[in-house]
Amino acid sequence: MLQLFLIAFRNLGTHRRRTLLLGGAIASVTALLVILMGLSTGMKESMLRSATTLSTGHVNVAGFYKVTAGQAAPVVTGYPAILEQIRKDVPELDFAVQRGRGWLKVVSETSSIQVGVGGIDIQSEPGLRQVLQIRAGALDGLAESGTVLLFEKQAKKLNVQVGESVTLAAQTLRGASNTVDARVVAIAADMGMLSDFGIFVPSDTLRSLYQFKSDTAGALLLYLKDIRHVPVVQARLRQTLTDAGHTVMDHDPRAFFMKFETVNREAWTGQRLDITNWEDEISFITWTLTALNSLTGVLIFVLMVIIGVGIMNTLWIAIRERTREIGTLRAIGMQRTRVLLMFVFEALLLGLLGTLAGASAGLVLCLAVNAMAVHVPEVVAVFIMSDTLNLAVHPSSIVGAMAFITACTTAISLIPSFLAARLKPVTAMHHIG
């Protein structure tokens, strides 16, 4: 077997120009695949990091409360008891926070905007401290009632700075209009689409605005020690909360604000819980990942077809040039299987060397892009929820890309290799002679 590898390696070295041309093509495809996988993974990680900071946990226990059949509010009543049960039922839990949810109008002296609002207890929000980049003011200012955090684009539109006041206006659960004044204590860097339509205020300020009781929250955001446990935890909570007497809504994989029309049409009143995960809550923007993955698949398929044709043509030429060699090897007793393996090993070595070079080049390029902190256009930042390009390349992804392309090149070589093995010694020698 080692002898066949040495023969294959010698043949690649003998036809150096052909080997470099085909190996370079394989390397280019591998590098492109590594870069595209890094881009897709980086986008997903940026989305996960931003989304699970701004609007969702890994798993969310939220819900709707209806005073009348046609008027729903995104609230969970009596949340402390529910949170206590969750802590008992979910040993995978790392930490949990309660968030208020709402939609309101922010009015300054010169302008106004409509945004979603999150009510938070800043002392219980380690994720916000890690992800939000404060451009002005201080995040700890949200510990004081009657304060607000804005993002840069919102502050610019409202023409306000830290220390100035804005008015928050919203309708209560019973349809009455209410307002509160809030002082801007922090302005954070934009984080894409979610930061365009969201602000943060202290939980008691939000409750005061909507006239909610102190045991009312918008959602309980659960952060797990291992995100891979999300499906298991989500399914378990649906069962345990139902067993505890709560009415749990059927799973609807959409963001909570996209469910109002459906919920308002349903003829029920009171409290119902809605258990979702982070992918559900940002489903309205994950289509960008789906589109990128689809484009990657199409592009790699086209390139692999081109590489496949090149490998087949190269092996056909090699077989024609080495027909006498094949005939001689068969004449001295080499079995057809060993002839087949000789050409397969040649394609295998070509694939391994080409993918190794391509994966190395792709990895270096990804690391260089990350080191340079390349800023992306605003329209791109809206979807990836980050103002810099992040290419996340993991060892398993690199090995997977190398194995996939090497397997493809080896499989493609089977047809000409099989035909070479079927050459009869006498025919091969007669053809050359």
Side-chain angles (χ1 to χ4, degrees):
M1 196 68 69
L2 178 62
Q3 185 180 23
L4 292 178
F5 267 109
L6 292 176
I7 294 173
F9 188 78
R10 183 207 66 185
N11 289 333
L12 290 177
T14 302
H15 304 89
R16 192 171 293 107
R17 180 180 299 179
R18 184 192 307 155
T19 299
L20 289 176
L21 180 63
L22 197 54
I26 294 174
S28 299
V29 173
T30 306
L32 180 61
L33 180 57
V34 168
I35 293 170
L36 289 175
M37 290 173 64
L39 178 59
S40 176
T41 304
M43 286 178 61
K44 185 173 182 177
E45 290 182 356
S46 295
M47 284 184 176
L48 175 60
R49 182 172 59 255
S50 300
T52 53
T53 298
L54 298 180
S55 66
T56 175
H58 297 150
V59 177
N60 310 290
V61 178
F64 295 90
Y65 188 88
K66 299 174 71 172
V67 176
T68 62
Q71 186 69 32
V75 297
V76 177
T77 56
Y79 82 86
I82 297 175
L83 183 56
E84 182 179 355
Q85 181 177 345
I86 289 172
R87 294 187 190 280
K88 294 178 181 178
D89 295 336
V90 185
E92 301 92 342
L93 184 66
D94 186 13
F95 66 94
V97 299
Q98 67 83 18
R99 290 269 184 94
R101 284 176 169 177
W103 183 262
L104 50 73
K105 187 175 185 179
V106 184
V107 183
S108 68
E109 292 184 357
T110 60
S111 184
S112 65
I113 56 174
Q114 297 275 356
V115 293
V117 58
I120 63 172
D121 178 2
I122 192 58
Q123 305 302 330
S124 304
E125 292 277 0
L128 283 176
R129 296 182 182 277
Q130 295 174 5
V131 175
L132 289 182
Q133 300 179 32
I134 303 302
R135 300 300 195 201
L139 196 57
D140 286 330
L142 288 174
E144 183 181 348
S145 181
T147 56
V148 61
L149 177 145
L150 302 175
F151 289 90
E152 286 181 306
K153 191 181 296 183
Q154 300 163 349
K156 183 177 180 181
K157 186 171 183 179
L158 292 169
N159 193 26
V160 295
Q161 298 178 352
V162 170
E164 298 180 348
S165 295
V166 294
T167 299
L168 310 179
Q171 281 193 335
T172 67
L173 187 59
R174 297 186 179 278
S177 297
N178 195 22
T179 63
V180 297
D181 291 329
R183 178 169 52 88
V184 179
V185 294
I187 297 176
D190 292 327
M191 296 181 63
M193 182 179 293
L194 291 180
S195 67
D196 287 348
F197 301 101
I199 64 173
F200 290 108
V201 301
S203 293
D204 58 353
T205 300
L206 188 65
R207 293 191 186 103
S208 174
L209 177 62
Y210 284 99
Q211 299 179 354
F212 289 150
K213 295 180 180 180
S214 60
D215 65 347
T216 300
L220 301 176
L221 278 51
L222 314 181
Y223 296 89
L224 308 183
K225 300 171 185 176
D226 188 342
I227 195 173
R228 291 175 296 181
H229 294 151
V230 165
V232 174
V233 171
Q234 188 175 0
R236 186 191 307 146
L237 283 176
R238 294 186 64 84
Q239 184 62 49
T240 57
L241 290 175
T242 300
D243 292 343
H246 300 282
T247 303
V248 179
M249 298 170 58
D250 293 335
H251 182 233
D252 184 350
R254 294 182 296 168
F256 80 96
F257 57 83
M258 302 179 72
K259 301 176 184 178
F260 278 99
E261 184 178 353
T262 301
V263 171
N264 285 334
R265 287 201 307 262
E266 296 174 349
W268 55 267
T269 57
Q271 177 74 68
R272 290 195 177 183
L273 299 181
D274 184 25
I275 303 175
T276 62
N277 59 50
W278 71 273
E279 291 180 300
D280 298 335
E281 295 297 333
I282 64 168
S283 58
F284 59 99
I285 55 176
T286 52
W287 64 268
T288 55
L289 275 178
T290 303
L292 177 61
N293 291 335
S294 299
L295 179 61
T296 299
V298 171
L299 184 59
I300 295 301
F301 174 77
V302 172
L303 292 176
M304 285 306 303
V305 169
I306 297 174
I307 294 297
V309 172
I311 290 175
M312 290 191 67
N313 286 338
T314 298
L315 287 178
W316 280 121
I317 294 173
I319 290 169
R320 287 183 61 85
E321 291 176 349
R322 293 157 58 189
T323 302
R324 183 178 180 182
E325 176 187 343
I326 295 171
T328 302
L329 291 173
R330 292 281 291 116
I332 62 177
M334 179 177 280
Q335 299 297 316
R336 288 179 175 178
T337 302
R338 294 179 67 84
V339 175
L340 172 68
L341 289 176
M342 182 177 66
F343 284 97
V344 170
F345 285 166
E346 191 170 323
L348 176 63
L349 281 173
L350 183 62
L352 285 174
L353 295 174
T355 55
L356 180 61
S360 300
L363 177 61
V364 169
L365 183 58
C366 289
L367 294 176
V369 169
N370 291 339
M372 291 187 293
V374 177
H375 285 269
V376 298
E378 184 175 323
V379 66
V380 177
V382 165
F383 295 105
I384 68 173
M385 292 188 277
S386 175
D387 58 354
T388 58
L389 188 61
N390 175 40
L391 303 180
V393 182
H394 302 298
S396 58
S397 300
I398 296 177
V399 173
M402 292 178 60
F404 171 72
I405 294 180
T406 300
C408 288
T409 57
T410 304
I412 291 169
S413 70
L414 287 175
I415 297 176
S417 299
F418 180 76
L419 294 178
R422 289 178 59 84
L423 286 175
K424 295 180 179 180
V426 176
T427 303
M429 300 298 292
H430 177 74
H431 173 78
I432 296 300

